[in-house]
Amino acid sequence: MIKATKHTPLATTITGSLPRPSWYVANLAGRRFSMAMADLVFREQYTDTLAAHITDQIRAGLDILTDGDARFDMDVGGRSWFSYVAERMEGLEDPGLRPQPWTSPRERAAGDILHEVMEARLPFFVRGPVGRGGLEYARVWKAAQRMTHRPMKFGACCGQLLEVVVLNQHYASRRELLFAIADSLNQELHEVADAGCPVVQLEEPLLHYIAGHDQGAELGTELYIDAFNREVAGLRDKTEVWVHTCWGNPAAQRVEVATSGYEGALELLDRLDVDVITFEAASDGGAALPAIGQAVGKDKKVCIGVVHHRSLEVETPEQVAGLIRKALRFIEPERLILSSDCGFGRQGMSRMHAFHKMVSLVRGANLVRRELGLDPAPCLAAEQRYSMLA
Ligand SMILES: [Zn+2]
């Protein structure tokens, strides 16, 4: 259900990850979150990192906050996005160094940055029935939400993407594994919603990567839609459910896929059992906005990226406002949410870049809010009277 963004036209947020502070050097390193939080050094660094991330987002003036994906280790190319789940679910075992099963020509080619990313993606074997294990998503969310009254979004990898990066040695088919993962994650996400989480965001099940190119594939778009909807079944009765799409973020790179734009996947995405669909718009100047406005059902909100996560150039508030105005030609302000195209990554850019992108996001939104007669959001970072030069 629309909950966190119900009374906020042009609500602002970021996708999830924020660059790690340089002093946050502790890692979960395979431990359960609650075990690591009993380690004094980890607990202090983790808690202080949350405080820094939350303060930065409040200074920028964002409406919906994230914990910056602070639970993930400082590893290569965002490996923890998958391995946090794989290391903690029941039925999965670390195989050590093995070839990654999912490769594109660039990922295969030594000398390519995507190859280096893949060298660190050690796939896990599925050797028994999968279960929730020690994911502890609710605890992770609570650790952040208890530091602010603003809504704290919880974001995680979807089971369909996890299935792609593991090696099945237990289930009779990939389809069976896909649904077993979906059922386990559904239980886990219900615990997060029951704890009071106002927004749960999952990654979309590869639809915009394979739409129109899945004929004859072992797992096609129909199966992915079924599995995703099983993973989120019943969640919308309790919380606001978002699905995130993007064109990739490993080491801040765009991934190689068969499709070139969103258009072929929009009707498939609209069949996902969610309240909000997110789209990259900053990276292509909003080229797909007319089609998005037409294809996404009125029961859903649309969240667009108005700052780019793969470039260091900080967008100006005027550039952000221009993209919002373009979106408003196709999507009503009550149904439009503003974000970054994807997470800022833990290594892709500096904290200063990410911070100023968040500030530009809010300042740009405020320009348009004023034009529409809406109240601008307080943006402490842009208060001239607090400038040390004033
Ligand atoms: Zn993304």
Side-chain angles (χ1 to χ4, degrees):
M1 68 178 85
I2 297 293
K3 190 173 175 181
T5 62
K6 190 167 186 179
H7 303 295
T8 317
L10 304 184
T12 56
T13 188
I14 56 172
T15 300
S17 59
L18 282 165
R20 271 192 166 217
S22 56
W23 41 262
Y24 177 26
V25 294
N27 289 305
L28 286 178
R31 292 176 290 180
R32 287 171 75 125
F33 179 69
S34 55
M35 289 301 294
M37 286 295 269
D39 164 349
L40 187 63
V41 172
F42 179 88
R43 188 184 183 95
E44 181 171 298
Q45 291 189 12
Y46 183 83
T47 309
D48 291 356
T49 294
L50 290 184
H53 286 337
I54 289 169
T55 305
D56 280 355
Q57 293 172 81
I58 290 174
R59 285 170 64 213
L62 294 174
D63 299 306
I64 314 280
L65 311 189
T66 80
D67 67 1
D69 289 352
R71 67 185 179 276
F72 295 143
D73 290 352
M74 194 62 187
D75 50 18
V76 175
R79 172 182 184 264
S80 285
W81 180 249
F82 308 99
S83 66
Y84 178 90
V85 187
E87 286 171 352
R88 288 165 185 79
M89 282 185 82
E90 285 165 36
L92 276 72
E93 285 179 26
D94 186 346
L97 185 58
R98 294 293 173 108
Q100 163 73 13
W102 188 42
T103 56
S104 68
R106 281 191 60 194
E107 289 171 0
R108 255 183 236 119
D112 194 299
I113 187 170
L114 292 180
H115 182 79
E116 187 161 343
V117 167
M118 286 303 125
E119 282 189 339
R121 293 275 172 90
L122 314 179
F124 283 66
F125 282 116
V126 180
R127 291 227 166 94
V130 298
R132 298 162 60 189
L135 288 176
E136 300 192 338
Y137 281 169
R139 285 181 176 156
V140 171
W141 170 76
K142 286 179 188 176
Q145 182 66 84
R146 67 188 181 184
M147 298 177 84
T148 176
H149 289 293
R150 296 197 193 190
M152 178 62 60
K153 180 169 63 167
F154 178 79
C157 175
C158 70
Q160 299 77 58
L161 219 67
L162 178 70
E163 191 278 335
V164 171
V165 299
V166 297
L167 303 170
N168 176 24
Q169 292 190 334
H170 175 76
Y171 290 90
S173 65
R174 288 182 64 190
R175 183 184 200 283
E176 233 180 87
L177 171 60
L178 199 63
F179 286 121
I181 294 173
D183 289 342
S184 298
L185 292 180
N186 181 257
Q187 291 170 17
E188 187 70 22
L189 295 168
H190 269 278
E191 192 173 280
V192 177
D194 289 339
C197 179
V199 180
V200 170
Q201 176 181 290
L202 292 174
E203 204 168 10
E204 69 97 15
L206 298 159
L207 300 177
H208 73 296
Y209 284 5
I210 62 171
H213 296 267
D214 62 330
Q215 292 83 0
E218 198 179 344
L219 303 178
T221 49
E222 291 302 316
L223 198 55
Y224 277 134
I225 292 171
D226 289 348
F228 182 90
N229 285 343
R230 199 151 143 170
E231 189 167 321
V232 297
L235 278 181
R236 290 176 81 188
D237 296 336
K238 301 176 178 177
T239 187
E240 187 168 311
V241 181
W242 295 27
V243 67
H244 167 71
T245 79
C246 73
W247 297 104
N249 204 3
Q253 304 302 300
R254 194 184 203 278
V255 296
E256 273 197 313
V257 289
T259 52
S260 59
Y262 282 116
E263 283 77 358
L266 292 173
E267 287 181 10
L268 301 171
L269 288 167
D270 193 46
R271 288 168 52 199
L272 299 178
D273 189 11
V274 297
D275 299 295
V276 177
I277 309 177
T278 84
F279 297 95
E280 278 196 23
S283 65
D284 64 359
L289 286 171
I292 290 169
Q294 200 157 41
V296 176
K298 299 289 182 189
D299 62 318
K300 294 182 174 66
K301 288 197 178 197
V302 172
C303 175
I304 61 163
V306 292
V307 293
H308 194 9
H309 62 294
R310 293 188 297 266
S311 94
L312 293 182
E313 188 91 37
V314 176
E315 293 80 357
T316 64
E318 290 72 23
Q319 285 173 322
V320 170
L323 194 50
I324 299 170
R325 289 187 202 105
K326 182 173 181 179
L328 287 172
R329 285 161 49 198
F330 311 103
I331 303 153
E332 307 86 327
E334 299 75 30
R335 289 181 55 234
L336 186 63
I337 300 171
L338 309 169
S339 183
S340 50
D341 274 355
C342 185
F344 292 122
R346 289 171 301 288
Q347 306 157 344
M349 63 175 66
S350 71
R351 290 181 69 192
M352 190 168 82
H353 285 97
F355 177 69
H356 284 284
K357 279 179 178 265
M358 294 192 289
V359 173
S360 270
L361 194 168
V362 174
R363 290 176 67 195
N366 281 347
L367 290 174
V368 179
R369 283 167 169 154
R370 288 192 188 92
E371 291 165 10
L372 297 176
L374 300 168
D375 290 335
C379 178
L380 271 171
E383 289 269 0
Q384 198 64 35
R385 61 189 160 146
Y386 297 139
S387 160
M388 290 196 285
L389 302 178

